[in-house]
Amino acid sequence: MTCQVKVLPSGHSFGVEAHETILEAALRQSVGLPYGCRDGACGACKGKVVEGEVEHGGAQDKALSAADRAQGMALFCCAKPKGDLTIEAREVAGVGDIQIKTLPCRVEKIDKIHDVAVLKLKLPVSERLQFKAGQYIDILMKDGKKRSFSIANAPHDDAFIELHIRHQPGGSFSDYVFNTMKEKEIMRFKGPLGSFFLREDSDKPIIMVASGTGFAPIKGIIEHAIHQGITRPIVFYWGARTPADLYLAEMAGQWQAQHTNITFIPVVSDALPEHNWQGRTGFVHQAVLDDFDSLAGYQVYACGAPVMVEAAHTAFIGERSLPADEFFSDAFFLSKDMGSASK
Ligand code: FES
């Protein structure tokens, strides 16, 4: 049975087949619902069911609380309709227009910087991946599992797809990348995915907050903004445990040196005396709170560890008056499939 879903306020409608989630059906029919993990963990796809009923599927309590359910909220990446529905969701221009493809790619280069592998993937000559800076891809493993990684380059610079993979000893895929993977190896991936990208219809100043390899999509977005000649002020906070974990700090420093609208603020949480760290210390979201009395006129893009993204979301909106719809995030959740941090 096909259920019809109407989206408010746009008035768009689409059909959902029995095997599909609401998000899967929307994307298949080019309706741009926002989303991130597709795993019921991040809450990026949360919206209201105004009329009709859904099965909540694998929605996780941290992303959809009992109070949310009582108010008629649902995670559209997990929810399946029980009949025709009317939902309320803020559609994202661009998400539904880009074709999601499954493609082969070749590992062209593996550079190891500190404990991060920078992979450059090459597509077949006849293929191109259209994507927005900040989106991610799923690497499809031979055993049917998948692993999500943010694209670290911008679309104008698409000779390769660049991924940043932190080595997590015991993490099966990152162990494989660090110990076994060879250049020229062939892999398959699906993408582009996600709605973490720059909202270019705004002229608000931007705060970007990354932890660890959350730097990767931010790099893509900033390179895109530079290429587009976007002059909105951008303050980029990058947090890590030690100075060495800021594995491409020099690159971020160059953005600041070469573009008057870009400011780079590295923040280290566990600096030791031998690190001789002269910069900011503490948690990265706290550095933003220390610097801004109000975020009422800003857009915020946050990417990295869920604990950071959640702390930033709560504090920026609750304590600094950031409008809730001006906070965009991509949190690197544990993947159910892999048992290790995703992206
Ligand atoms: S919870 Fe649905 S996309 Fe993350």
Side-chain angles (χ1 to χ4, degrees), residues 181-262:
M181 181 178 271
K182 298 274 182 298
E183 291 175 356
K184 310 292 179 224
E185 192 168 318
I186 303 291
M187 300 196 296
R188 285 169 69 245
F189 73 90
K190 181 176 175 183
L193 298 162
S195 50
F196 184 67
F197 47 74
L198 187 64
R199 301 313 193 253
E200 293 181 46
D201 55 357
S202 170
D203 57 4
K204 288 186 175 182
I206 297 165
I207 292 172
M208 294 187 164
V209 194
S211 66
T213 49
F215 174 74
I218 299 285
K219 170 180 175 289
I221 291 173
I222 291 182
E223 288 178 346
H224 171 72
I226 291 170
H227 178 75
Q228 291 296 106
I230 291 169
T231 54
R232 294 161 66 184
I234 298 173
V235 186
F236 169 39
Y237 293 81
W238 187 9
R241 291 215 324 276
T242 70
D245 293 329
L246 299 165
Y247 55 95
L248 284 172
E250 208 171 297
M251 175 183 283
Q254 280 170 9
W255 295 331
Q256 170 171 266
Q258 292 167 4
H259 302 278
T260 52
N261 62 316
I262 298 178

Side-chain angles (χ1 to χ4, degrees), residues 209-211 237-240 265 267 282-289 308 316:
V209 194
S211 66
Y237 293 81
W238 187 9
I265 301 178
V267 184
F283 292 129
V284 66
H285 79 285
Q286 185 61 47
V288 180
L289 295 172
M308 182 281 284
F316 295 176

Side-chain angles (χ1 to χ4, degrees), residues 23 34-46 63 75-78:
L23 177 67
Y35 70 101
C37 67
R38 294 171 301 141
D39 201 22
C42 74
C45 64
K46 186 157 53 184
L75 300 179
F76 296 133
C77 72
C78 303

Side-chain angles (χ1 to χ4, degrees), residues 62-287:
K62 65 186 176 196
L64 189 73
S65 64
D68 286 335
R69 289 174 197 236
Q71 287 166 16
M73 306 303 280
L75 300 179
F76 296 133
C77 72
C78 303
K80 293 184 173 177
K82 289 186 178 172
D84 291 348
L85 294 180
T86 302
I87 64 172
E88 224 170 61
R90 196 167 44 112
E91 284 177 57
V92 186
V95 167
D97 312 336
I98 299 178
Q99 194 189 351
I100 299 168
K101 297 179 175 179
T102 298
L103 292 171
C105 61
R106 190 177 68 203
V107 178
E108 193 70 17
K109 205 160 189 318
I110 310 170
D111 287 318
K112 291 176 184 149
I113 309 173
H114 186 48
D115 64 347
V116 174
V118 176
L119 294 194
K120 300 255 173 78
L121 306 179
K122 179 116 183 99
L123 298 188
V125 275
S126 56
E127 291 287 357
R128 232 189 120 238
L129 185 72
Q130 194 194 351
F131 65 96
K132 285 181 169 281
Q135 288 192 289
Y136 70 91
I137 61 171
D138 278 348
I139 299 285
L140 306 175
M141 319 286 281
K142 292 196 176 80
D143 59 5
K145 292 177 178 171
K146 60 184 169 34
R147 192 79 164 79
S148 305
F149 295 101
S150 298
I151 303 172
N153 52 303
H156 69 272
D157 174 25
D158 69 349
F160 304 106
I161 297 169
E162 180 178 322
L163 308 180
H164 297 179
I165 301 172
R166 181 174 297 283
H167 190 206
Q168 293 162 328
S172 54
F173 186 72
S174 83
D175 273 346
Y176 177 75
V177 170
F178 269 78
N179 302 327
T180 314
M181 181 178 271
K182 298 274 182 298
E183 291 175 356
K184 310 292 179 224
E185 192 168 318
I186 303 291
M187 300 196 296
R188 285 169 69 245
F189 73 90
K190 181 176 175 183
L193 298 162
S195 50
F196 184 67
F197 47 74
L198 187 64
R199 301 313 193 253
E200 293 181 46
D201 55 357
S202 170
D203 57 4
K204 288 186 175 182
I206 297 165
I207 292 172
M208 294 187 164
V209 194
S211 66
T213 49
F215 174 74
I218 299 285
K219 170 180 175 289
I221 291 173
I222 291 182
E223 288 178 346
H224 171 72
I226 291 170
H227 178 75
Q228 291 296 106
I230 291 169
T231 54
R232 294 161 66 184
I234 298 173
V235 186
F236 169 39
Y237 293 81
W238 187 9
R241 291 215 324 276
T242 70
D245 293 329
L246 299 165
Y247 55 95
L248 284 172
E250 208 171 297
M251 175 183 283
Q254 280 170 9
W255 295 331
Q256 170 171 266
Q258 292 167 4
H259 302 278
T260 52
N261 62 316
I262 298 178
T263 305
F264 171 47
I265 301 178
V267 184
V268 168
S269 61
D270 297 352
L272 298 172
E274 57 264 37
H275 294 143
N276 197 24
W277 176 249
Q278 306 293 323
R280 302 280 292 271
T281 55
F283 292 129
V284 66
H285 79 285
Q286 185 61 47

